[in-house]
Amino acid sequence: MPRDNLNELTAFLAVAREQSFTRAAAKLGVSQSALSHTLRALEERLGVRLLTRTTRSVSPTEAGERLARSIGPRLDEIEMELAALSALREKPAGTIRITAGEHAADAVLWPAIAGLLPDYPDIRIEIIVDYGLTDIVAERYDAGVRLGEQVARDMIAVRIGPDMRMAVVGAPAYFAARPKPRTPQDLTTHNCINLRLPTYGGLYAWEFEKAGRELKVRVEGQMVFNTAALRLNAVLAGLGLAYLPEDQVHAHLADGRLVRVLADWCPPFPGYHLYYPSRRQATPAFSLLVEALRYRG
């Protein structure tokens, strides 16, 4: 059916039900003159009068009543289906894929997701833990998580966590037989637990800064892992020194299971940001997740 025909039938049904051009025009959001012109065009095309017009009222003719009874339920059904589709479009639903490092996934993503998903059963979230600087467009991710200083300028970035600090830690048993390092350079004589990053193609260099001086130290040791959990287990076992996010070792420092060194060489730095390409219209589910993650501290 041509769109003009459907518009004419919708206009007719509104007038027939309201029995007033004024009220029908207001309901349809058109002028009374435009509505009157539409109805006359419909009557001329059908070759039958559908409405009886007087100075005080408007009422359907016999043909108009028959047409209203015929098309009314059908147009109502169409309107209900369109409303249902609109509600479905606005309902948060769908799958969101995010790439993030292990610590970001555990410390920032998990608390927000655990609080969000029970209220939105139609949202599915897939988190891929990856230490590489993943190309989220090429790999078809909806978003990624990086430290603020690593986010590319052509991406939209939303801060999702506070400033961070790293901590160099060891178990008391480890330090019982070794002196504590006083400078980052002293780490070269210690058994350090290394982290391998796929993007860099090698071992991660521990980063330090003090009084504007930046240092990167490539440490050595008996163990290399690609997860934070294994590095934490190793340092708790007294097998070496580890370089870990401060919040991950805070409880162990408080209960004496770990000892911190070189704290004055580990200043705060920008925390985690959610980043994603500019998009014309984010889905309701994605917008909901962004707001749940947004850092407001």
Side-chain angles (χ1 to χ4, degrees):
M1 177 186 294
R3 176 179 290 275
D4 288 346
N5 293 355
L6 182 59
N7 290 341
E8 288 173 350
L9 292 174
T10 301
F12 161 73
L13 189 61
V15 174
R17 286 176 170 175
E18 297 293 336
Q19 296 193 6
S20 166
F21 274 89
T22 301
R23 291 192 296 272
K27 182 177 181 180
L28 296 172
V30 299
S31 66
Q32 292 185 48
S33 60
L35 183 58
S36 179
H37 177 77
T38 298
L39 267 297
R40 290 188 186 279
L42 175 62
E43 289 177 328
E44 290 176 4
R45 184 167 59 81
L46 296 177
V48 62
R49 183 174 291 279
L50 299 173
L51 297 169
T52 299
R53 303 169 177 82
T54 68
T55 56
R56 295 184 178 181
S57 65
V58 179
S59 59
T61 63
E62 182 179 352
E65 289 180 353
R66 178 177 176 178
L67 180 61
R69 288 195 302 269
S70 176
I71 68 171
R74 292 175 171 82
L75 291 181
D76 290 342
E77 184 177 356
I78 291 173
E79 186 175 347
M80 290 174 60
E81 287 298 326
L82 292 176
L85 288 175
S86 178
L88 181 62
R89 174 178 56 82
E90 296 172 358
K91 183 180 181 180
T95 299
I96 302 170
R97 299 184 71 235
I98 304 173
T99 176
E102 182 184 12
H103 178 254
D106 183 63
V108 180
L109 294 182
W110 171 247
I113 290 170
L116 177 70
L117 291 186
D119 295 328
Y120 298 93
D122 295 319
I123 294 179
R124 296 180 299 277
I125 296 178
E126 179 180 348
I127 297 176
I128 304 300
V129 173
D130 184 0
Y131 280 101
L133 298 179
T134 305
D135 184 338
I136 61 173
V137 176
E139 298 297 327
R140 302 179 66 84
Y141 286 102
D142 295 290
V145 177
R146 290 183 189 169
L147 295 172
E149 58 195 12
Q150 296 177 331
V151 176
R153 293 183 179 179
D154 59 346
M155 292 284 176
I156 295 176
V158 178
R159 184 170 181 140
I160 60 174
D163 283 352
M164 292 177 54
R165 288 185 72 192
M166 299 299 292
V168 179
V169 294
Y174 175 85
F175 287 121
R178 298 170 180 83
K180 295 178 181 178
R182 296 180 179 274
T183 69
Q185 292 91 334
D186 293 342
L187 292 170
T188 58
T189 64
H190 282 267
N191 192 4
C192 296
I193 303 163
N194 261 306
L195 168 67
R196 186 175 297 281
L197 296 180
T199 300
Y200 295 103
L203 302 180
Y204 174 66
W206 295 11
E207 301 178 65
F208 300 96
E209 181 181 345
K210 184 177 181 180
R213 181 188 178 194
E214 296 182 5
L215 287 176
K216 288 188 177 181
V217 181
R218 296 197 175 276
V219 298
E220 295 184 359
Q222 292 178 284
M223 290 165 292
V224 178
F225 300 111
N226 68 346
T227 71
L230 289 174
R231 285 181 289 145
L232 180 59
N233 288 341
V235 72
L236 287 170
L239 299 179
L241 299 183
Y243 184 75
L244 293 163
E246 183 181 60
D247 66 290
Q248 195 170 29
V249 297
H250 179 76
H252 301 302
L253 291 172
D255 65 16
R257 296 187 66 193
L258 291 177
V259 176
R260 183 173 189 171
V261 294
L262 302 176
D264 55 334
W265 281 93
C266 298
F269 56 89
Y272 291 120
H273 286 63
L274 186 79
Y275 68 98
Y276 51 95
S278 176
R279 56 183 69 196
R280 294 182 180 178
Q281 183 177 5
T283 65
F286 186 80
S287 297
L288 193 68
L289 178 63
V290 170
E291 289 307 308
L293 287 169
R294 190 184 300 275
Y295 179 67
R296 295 176 172 84

